[in-house]
Amino acid sequence: MLYRKIEKTIVEHLESKSNKVLLIDGARQVGKTYIVRYAGRKLFENFIEINMVEDSLGEKLFEQVKTIEDFYLSLSMIAGDKMQQKENTLIFIDEIQEYPHLLTLLKFLVQDDCFHYIASGSLLGVALLKTTSIPMGSIQKVRMFPLDFEEFLYANGVNEITISILSKKFKKLESLDESMHYKTMDYFRKFLLVGGMPDAVNSYLLEKNIVSVRGIQTETPTTEVVGFLTTK
């Protein structure tokens, strides 16, 4: 799988005693759902995922949820056997912006203290503006972006020692030796062509075909500026 720096933030939050819900904001297709699944399933025996866009297009179980009792009842209809103790149960509310009233409900779910929660969404700024009561004291909001250049290097098999050296020299504005310079610039040119959307990177790694990558980029609804080389 692709190395994503935000995994460390997710794991640290889930392993902490924090009484806040981690709310991951980011454009569509940057990998929010995948990385939460990966981290959540490693840490919790019972991982429950609810996609609110899918719910809004289907059964609409959560459309009229107003209380924690309503939420538990709707949740039990799709994952009742996994609703066990807080210590081994994580509930992932994906695409929460589809139902802005659930953002308000997060505060009361946290206070009820029955399960661990994590949420993600796109255009959360817009959803928060539509929310009558924003539970800022109950959420920790973080932003997820496409892969930056450092993550792209990891994806291409560059080891941690090399990346650490590159990072230190970059920060100190020190030059690289000629062979390292040309190799790094080659990776950077590929990064500029491929970009940082996970599907595009995976396609490039598998096929080494820029035409296939372009097809994925054309289908991607949202693009964002991607960072160069950042620290962990």
Side-chain angles (χ1 to χ4, degrees), residues 166 176-187 189:
L166 289 173
L176 301 171
D177 62 66
E178 188 174 9
S179 61
M180 179 66 77
H181 171 77
Y182 283 118
K183 185 65 175 176
T184 303
M185 289 305 298
D186 179 56
Y187 278 125
R189 281 189 289 270

Side-chain angles (χ1 to χ4, degrees), residues 1-80:
M1 65 163 282
L2 297 175
Y3 165 73
R4 304 308 306 271
K5 297 175 187 177
I6 200 170
E7 181 188 349
K8 180 180 178 182
T9 300
I10 294 170
V11 170
E12 288 177 349
H13 179 85
L14 293 176
E15 290 181 337
S16 72
K17 301 295 183 180
S18 174
N19 61 350
K20 295 185 178 183
V21 176
L22 187 66
L23 184 60
I24 303 174
D25 188 13
R28 295 186 185 279
Q29 300 183 21
V30 297
K32 302 185 298 297
T33 301
Y34 185 88
I35 198 64
V36 173
R37 283 177 187 160
Y38 180 76
R41 287 171 175 166
K42 281 199 306 182
L43 296 175
F44 290 87
E45 178 184 346
N46 298 298
F47 177 79
I48 302 172
E49 178 181 338
I50 327 156
N51 186 299
M52 293 308 168
V53 169
E54 291 180 3
D55 183 78
S56 69
L57 296 173
E59 296 181 318
K60 297 180 168 54
L61 293 174
F62 296 87
E63 186 177 40
Q64 299 300 323
V65 164
K66 302 298 181 186
T67 67
I68 57 174
E69 289 79 13
D70 293 340
F71 182 85
Y72 293 151
L73 178 60
S74 296
L75 185 64
S76 69
M77 295 176 70
I78 57 177

